Amino acid sequence: MAANWWLALIIMVVLNGILVWTLFFSLEPTSRRAKKWFFIVGNVIGLILAVSQFFWMEF
């Protein structure tokens, strides 16, 4: 079960690292609203992936 928690943490850290890298080091100017929604949607996808791996690894 501890492996599931570590994998969920790794999924969220990697996904947030990609999001932060994209938001801060992007050469294209984006609005604050677009950045906010990009971050929210990215984290929702990461959360779904992290939670789904709990069910996937149980079988």
Side-chain angles (χ1 to χ4, degrees):
M1 186 69 175
N4 291 7
W5 287 105
W6 281 108
L7 185 59
L9 180 67
I10 289 169
I11 288 171
M12 291 303 291
V13 167
V14 168
L15 190 67
N16 276 312
I18 292 169
L19 285 172
V20 168
W21 181 266
T22 303
L23 290 175
F24 286 133
F25 296 108
S26 176
L27 296 177
E28 301 169 357
T30 54
S31 67
R32 289 185 71 187
R33 187 175 185 186
K35 287 181 181 181
K36 179 182 80 170
W37 281 107
F38 182 64
F39 191 74
I40 290 171
V41 170
N43 275 304
V44 167
I45 291 170
L47 186 61
I48 290 169
L49 288 173
V51 170
S52 68
Q53 64 84 24
F54 282 102
F55 299 111
W56 180 263
M57 291 185 74
E58 293 295 323
F59 297 113

